[in-house]
Amino acid sequence: MTTADTPQGGALSRIGSAGAMQKMLAFGSLVLLLVGFSLASPQFMQVSNIIAILQATSVNGVLAVAVTLVIITGGIDLSVGTMMTFCAVISGVVLTYWGLPLPFGVLAAIGAGAFCGLCSGTFVAKLKIPPFIATLGMMLILKGLALVISGTRPIYFNDTPGFDLISRGSLIGWVFPSLPIPNGVLILFLVALLVAYILGRTVLGRYTFALGSNEEAVRLSGVNVDAWKIGIYALSGAIVGVAGILIASRLNSAQPALGLGYELEAIAAVVIGGTSLSGGRGTVLGTVIGALIMAVLTNGLRILSVAQEWQTVVTGAIIILAVYADQARRRKG
Amino acid sequence: MSVTPLISMRNIDKRFPGVHALKGVSFELLPGEVHALMGENGAGKSTLMKILSGIYPRDGGEILVGGTPAEIDSPRAAQSHGLAIIHQELALMNDLTVAQNIFIGREPRLSFGRLDEKALNRNARDIFAKLNLHLDPKTQVGTLTIARQQLVEIAKALSFKSRVLVMDEPTAALNDREIDELFIIIRQLKAEGVGIVYISHKMDELKRIADRVTVMRDGATVGTVSAADTPVSEIIRMMVGRELGAETVDIPDLAAAPPLLEVRGLTRGRAVRDVSFSVRQGEILGFAGLMGAGRTEVARAIFGADRKNGGEILVHGKALTIRSPADAVAAGIGYLSEDRKHFGLALGMDVKDNVALATMTDFVSRVGAINDARMRATARTFIDRLRIRTPSERQEVRFLSGGNQQKVVIAKWLLRNCDILIFDEPTRGIDVGAKSEIYRLLTDLAAEGRAIIVISSELPEVLRLSHRIAVMCEGRLTGILPGGPGTTQEDIMDLATRRAPAMEPAFPPPPTPETRAPR
Ligand SMILES: Nc1ncnc2c1ncn2[C@@H]1O[C@H](COP(=O)(O)OP(=O)(O)OP(=O)(O)O)[C@@H](O)[C@H]1O
Ligand SMILES: [Mg+2]
């Protein structure tokens, strides 16, 4: 039908699209933070410190990427922190208790995560339990199970040679000795790339956005909404399994009491990165930038010897600021 | 009949809690016919079509597709039988692009579940070309106007290459030109042998497009007649069970009445440019214009829902600063939004709560508790007065039919008792019987001494209601016409299409003020 067409064509609308704008905003703030801290302290820009920041980003970054998937569907996942610990404990059981070789430990952690995600997804999609409640329940269940399985004691990986290298070794540094970037960061990079690809280029990714945008419309289009939703939660869980391996490797142990609180940091990174909590919009790149902002902030404030308590306050304020900036821009637009 | 019907629905029965929505309804669709389905709000039209498209299970009866019994238990099953439906309430994903919306659930794939985005956009472009529709497949649906979103829905339904196409009030949000273009497409499909079920409350569309008409009332079929041979008045009688007199507007002498609302030089960006008018006590001022002329924007700016760049608003002769809807309501201005789903209703709450939503504090007793009994009684009065079809005042609004939801919004503002009421498309999706009741209601409200503004895209409605008619074009008020039989639809259209001479999107409008008189 010929209707007077306003020039709201592809390229323009894409640049102006909400996600891209917020990403720019987040990226700008990151650069600002980096410049600010390096001016404030000469220690900040030292290679060892940058590597520390990247290392700190890796676990939270992988978790945040996992949560991004769920949040884009319009859901939320409160269980990723304890799920990560649960996966770490499972790999501890497989490697240390059963003495199986390293790849089995990694696969067990990822499999355990995928299974947990499958459960959450089933609760949400089939039993129609709101994601907040379903994953709150999962959070407690997994916290408890991690303690039960480990007998409330840490499981050490001293008998598995090379386990700590998964996170702390540096494949890149081995090839380019001047760039000792830890493997944890490399893994975050690969996970982010994979998920970005899935979101942008595959059917699963398409339905992730579609579900968050208008679930009823997807259902009316004849799509098996429940199955896809469970799939998305399972994928998210598998990524949490990767985070479980990363943290266990970094500590060279599975700490069953750890984990609570990580989910909130992950959600914060997602939000700072411009993903809408009401679903339908979001990017992996934004989430990674969000995770970086949080790590830079914590690190920089510590270098400036700001007390731990105040670091927490600042982080909270940043979250509110980030979301406000997003809202203000959208109201204008 | 020698041809096998595409669809036969026989003795379909459907109950919802508290509602017997369909009582043994039969319906038949032949290849290449446009079959109009008419009936009052809540008659069961959408429900019947939702059963056909696998959204609701039926409680009784059978469905034959191409002469063989078919089990349609999901939207997917309906698709595989070649049935497509355009829903009354738009079902689009705002964050996705046009092409992604059209092919959701059947996107072209490469190996490993990867998407073939190029083919996706190419296929969408092909469909648009066939429909002569100028739309970029990569546009985000949320940025489109409602009318264009409707076109996306239509394109989506057509993309199934369906043999049966159900359109549930497709023209409710389209302007005249878009309707013409839709009809061209419908005729094209008809020639290809597609059967079309066409639901609409616009009686004039019947004669233009329909071959046969099936009328429903209270969940039962009243009858099926030929569209060409049956006078419209007869069809209306079948729908409402009585004759409706052709009423005309009765213009009171308002020379002595004080102006209740005066708007001077109202400006908001490009959408509203230097608009001035006044409404007297007891007057109904109609606002006509093409879609996108800026009428809704004027209303929203007056109501404080959008910020204005300039202009003055006087209520009872006093200049007021209205910064928010709360200010406007406090000043006695009520606004009935055109988009009831988004701005008018709390869908999950029941009828009584929605009716009382703007006046909740009136129902609070001295101890601070809500007087539920009084609220229910009030809601029941309005249910009777507006003939809202609902099992009780306790029914959740989302279960009401589209037209009845609209009546609930009207009830809310009637209860609020504002001096100045702005109705934006008050009868969109409302049946003929209820329409004439709403006309009477608006006329009564004016006679009680209120000032009424009615924004409507239907010219007959503007002419039927208005004491004076303001016409807008591209954000400017191009003239105010007197109401009554002296003014014709052509007079209005002339002003509605009077574009500023040097109107180029990139340049500011010329400073010369427009004449505010009929030709
Ligand atoms: N999901 C539901 N639950 C309960 N009642 C329902 C539901 N859907 C429809 N109804 C009721 O069934 C009846 C028929 O509704 P339907 O939507 O089919 O009417 P309609 O003819 O399409 O009206 P309109 O012209 O206003 O769109 C109404 O009384 C409505 O309230
Ligand atoms: Mg309907």
Side-chain angles (χ1 to χ4, degrees):
Chain A
M1 266 153 266
T2 33
T3 340
D5 213 341
T6 42
Q8 50 187 184
L12 248 175
S13 78
R14 293 235 68 85
I15 293 170
S17 82
M21 274 299 283
Q22 173 75 2
K23 235 181 343 192
M24 298 286 279
L25 213 74
F27 188 69
S29 334
L30 179 61
V31 171
L32 226 66
L33 278 177
L34 288 176
V35 171
F37 280 129
S38 48
L39 288 181
S41 161
Q43 281 172 49
F44 184 76
M45 266 302 170
Q46 274 167 18
V47 175
S48 62
N49 191 50
I50 296 294
I51 289 192
I53 292 175
L54 289 175
Q55 182 72 279
T57 310
S58 62
V59 170
N60 186 32
V62 172
L63 275 187
V65 168
V67 185
T68 304
L69 282 169
V70 172
I71 289 182
I72 294 177
T73 67
I76 188 86
D77 195 340
L78 297 178
S79 67
V80 291
T82 57
M83 192 192 295
M84 171 182 80
T85 303
F86 176 77
C87 295
V89 167
I90 293 289
S91 74
V93 168
V94 170
L95 294 177
T96 302
Y97 289 2
W98 297 353
L100 292 177
L102 192 130
F104 288 96
V106 173
L107 286 180
I110 294 175
F115 179 75
C116 294
L118 197 87
C119 293
S120 301
T122 309
F123 297 156
V124 172
K126 291 285 182 202
L127 308 186
K128 311 287 173 219
I129 301 170
F132 189 95
I133 309 291
T135 59
L136 182 70
M138 280 302 277
M139 168 172 116
L140 295 172
I141 290 173
L142 292 173
K143 179 181 152 93
L145 283 181
L147 288 167
V148 169
I149 293 173
S150 65
T152 71
R153 281 183 309 275
I155 307 174
Y156 293 94
F157 293 95
N158 296 333
D159 304 337
T160 313
F163 187 79
D164 61 332
L165 292 182
I166 294 179
S167 161
R168 289 192 289 197
S170 177
L171 214 59
I172 300 179
W174 184 63
V175 182
F176 307 103
S178 54
L179 270 181
I181 293 173
N183 289 340
V185 179
L186 185 65
I187 290 173
L188 166 62
F189 181 73
L190 293 177
V191 166
L193 217 60
L194 177 76
V195 174
Y197 186 83
I198 290 176
L199 278 178
R201 292 289 159 79
T202 68
V203 179
L204 184 77
R206 178 59 40 81
Y207 292 160
T208 309
F209 284 104
L211 284 175
S213 195
N214 188 345
E215 185 171 331
E216 192 53 27
V218 185
R219 198 187 310 280
L220 294 180
S221 306
V223 175
N224 187 346
V225 166
D226 292 355
W228 287 103
K229 201 188 261 181
I230 293 172
I232 294 163
Y233 274 86
L235 173 64
S236 168
I239 297 167
V240 173
V242 174
I245 291 293
L246 279 181
I247 190 137
S249 155
R250 201 160 96 196
L251 305 171
N252 205 22
S253 62
Q255 300 283 348
L258 203 82
L260 221 53
Y262 276 75
E263 65 284 335
L264 297 182
E265 291 208 11
I267 292 169
V270 176
V271 168
I272 291 174
T275 294
S276 157
L277 274 184
S278 46
R281 284 188 289 116
T283 59
V284 173
L285 180 57
T287 294
V288 172
I289 293 174
L292 272 171
I293 286 182
M294 293 196 51
V296 166
L297 207 66
T298 316
N299 178 286
L301 291 175
R302 198 170 52 226
I303 284 184
L304 299 183
S305 7
V306 174
Q308 177 92 46
E309 304 80 288
W310 281 106
Q311 291 175 22
T312 318
V313 174
V314 171
T315 313
I318 292 287
I319 293 171
I320 292 173
L321 208 71
V323 177
Y324 170 73
D326 187 32
Q327 290 289 342
R329 188 191 47 70
R330 207 168 312 156
R331 228 173 306 140
K332 248 191 296 157
Chain B
M1 216 173 294
S2 54
V3 242
T4 337
L6 284 172
I7 299 286
S8 308
M9 301 180 81
R10 294 185 188 152
N11 290 317
I12 304 291
D13 219 77
K14 178 71 191 172
R15 286 170 192 275
F16 293 112
V19 188
H20 196 170
L22 298 176
K23 305 164 188 161
V25 174
S26 296
F27 180 80
E28 195 172 79
L29 180 70
L30 299 175
E33 94 167 324
V34 176
H35 196 145
L37 190 55
M38 311 283 293
E40 289 182 286
N41 298 129
K45 307 179 294 292
S46 298
T47 304
L48 186 67
M49 289 305 123
K50 283 181 180 165
I51 287 175
L52 180 63
S53 53
I55 294 164
Y56 291 153
R58 61 181 189 275
D59 296 337
E62 58 172 352
I63 301 176
L64 279 69
V65 178
T68 45
E71 226 21 81
I72 302 175
D73 49 11
S74 70
R76 176 139 270 182
Q79 281 172 15
S80 68
H81 279 106
L83 312 177
I85 180 165
I86 298 167
H87 292 281
Q88 184 170 10
E89 314 297 343
L90 291 176
L92 292 169
M93 289 134 282
N94 284 341
D95 300 303
L96 267 51
T97 68
V98 170
Q100 291 169 352
N101 262 281
I102 290 177
F103 290 103
I104 188 81
R106 23 181 207 125
E107 29 293 274
R109 297 181 190 194
L110 306 166
S111 52
F112 304 113
R114 285 176 303 144
L115 293 167
D116 189 350
E117 205 77 17
K118 280 216 190 75
L120 184 78
N121 288 323
R122 198 172 51 235
N123 294 351
R125 225 170 270 129
D126 288 349
I127 292 173
F128 295 158
K130 196 173 153 218
L131 299 182
N132 192 19
L133 179 75
H134 294 284
L135 202 59
D136 182 348
K138 292 183 192 150
T139 314
Q140 225 182 338
V141 163
T143 64
L144 297 174
T145 60
I146 305 249
R148 314 210 88 206
Q149 291 183 0
Q150 185 81 56
L151 299 180
V152 174
E153 278 273 31
I154 292 167
K156 177 176 171 184
L158 295 179
S159 72
F160 284 100
K161 304 205 173 48
S162 324
R163 287 176 300 153
V164 174
L165 186 58
V166 179
M167 300 187 174
D168 198 346
E169 300 196 30
T171 56
L174 300 192
N175 67 30
D176 285 343
R177 198 176 52 198
E178 289 161 336
I179 292 175
D180 288 345
E181 280 155 357
L182 174 66
F183 283 2
I184 292 173
I185 294 171
I186 290 182
R187 291 198 187 96
Q188 192 180 324
L189 290 168
K190 209 174 115 138
E192 292 166 14
V194 175
I196 292 161
V197 183
Y198 190 88
I199 302 179
S200 175
H201 288 296
K202 298 184 183 171
M203 304 304 295
D204 59 311
E205 291 176 356
L206 273 189
K207 292 283 175 193
R208 289 178 59 194
I209 199 73
D211 300 309
R212 290 196 295 165
V213 183
T214 291
V215 177
M216 290 179 69
R217 187 164 75 220
D218 288 334
T221 344
V222 180
T224 300
V225 293
S226 144
D229 306 337
T230 318
V232 170
S233 59
E234 169 66 13
I235 293 172
I236 293 180
R237 200 192 50 70
M238 287 168 79
M239 282 170 64
V240 298
R242 65 194 151 87
E243 297 279 355
L244 288 178
E247 297 158 66
T248 49
V249 59
D250 180 18
I251 299 175
D253 179 17
L254 295 168
L260 265 190
L261 174 73
E262 286 177 81
V263 174
R264 291 183 192 156
L266 188 70
T267 301
R268 172 180 161 75
R270 299 190 152 280
V272 181
R273 309 173 193 210
D274 190 20
V275 169
S276 307
F277 64 91
S278 66
V279 198
R280 289 171 188 275
Q281 184 168 12
E283 183 177 43
I284 299 180
L285 177 66
F287 259 84
L290 300 177
M291 228 168 263
R295 296 163 300 162
T296 295
E297 285 73 10
V298 167
R300 288 179 57 91
I302 294 174
F303 192 59
D306 293 330
R307 201 176 314 170
K308 30 190 172 297
N309 300 127
E312 254 190 317
I313 291 168
L314 288 79
V315 176
H316 287 291
K318 274 208 309 274
L320 292 181
T321 348
I322 294 174
R323 282 214 191 80
S324 67
D327 291 348
V329 172
I333 304 176
Y335 172 59
L336 190 126
S337 155
E338 61 179 333
D339 189 347
R340 58 177 175 259
K341 271 276 155 74
H342 277 112
F343 307 117
L345 287 171
L347 287 172
M349 290 169 86
D350 58 18
V351 173
K352 92 181 140 47
D353 286 338
N354 271 286
V355 170
L357 207 57
T359 28
M360 214 43 115
T361 45
D362 294 359
F363 293 95
V364 177
S365 70
R366 240 169 299 144
V367 290
I370 284 178
N371 186 339
D372 212 49
R374 200 151 58 80
M375 208 153 105
R376 291 175 59 181
T378 310
R380 272 198 298 272
T381 343
F382 280 102
I383 290 171
D384 290 344
R385 192 165 154 203
L386 304 184
R387 298 211 302 161
I388 301 173
R389 205 164 296 233
T390 168
S392 83
E393 69 283 357
R394 306 283 286 277
Q395 181 79 327
E396 280 180 36
V397 168
R398 67 193 158 106
F399 293 134
L400 299 193
S401 76
N404 283 302
Q405 291 181 353
Q406 183 74 319
K407 292 186 191 174
V408 172
V409 186
I410 294 181
K412 178 174 82 176
W413 287 110
L414 290 183
L415 181 59
R416 176 76 214 201
N417 233 343
C418 294
D419 282 346
I420 301 159
L421 282 168
I422 307 174
F423 290 86
D424 199 347
E425 305 285 358
T427 63
R428 177 177 290 171
I430 285 196
D431 68 60
V432 272
K435 237 178 210 173
S436 75
E437 283 164 42
I438 285 171
Y439 295 163
R440 209 194 54 235
L441 251 160
L442 294 186
T443 311
D444 290 351
L445 287 170
E448 284 169 19
R450 281 177 244 258
I452 311 280
I453 294 176
V454 178
I455 300 172
S456 173
S457 297
E458 288 182 49
L459 293 182
E461 175 165 298
V462 173
L463 287 167
R464 159 71 185 79
L465 271 175
S466 314
H467 301 159
R468 281 188 306 148
I469 301 163
V471 188
M472 288 188 69
C473 177
E474 292 174 343
R476 294 161 304 119
L477 194 69
T478 45
I480 295 184
L481 300 166
T487 304
T488 63
Q489 300 199 12
E490 287 71 33
D491 295 337
I492 298 178
M493 280 315 288
D494 179 54
L495 285 174
T497 51
R498 195 176 280 181
R499 311 176 60 164
M503 258 296 288
E504 283 292 326
F507 298 103
T512 35
E514 285 294 313
T515 44
R516 299 231 163 78
R519 286 185 285 176

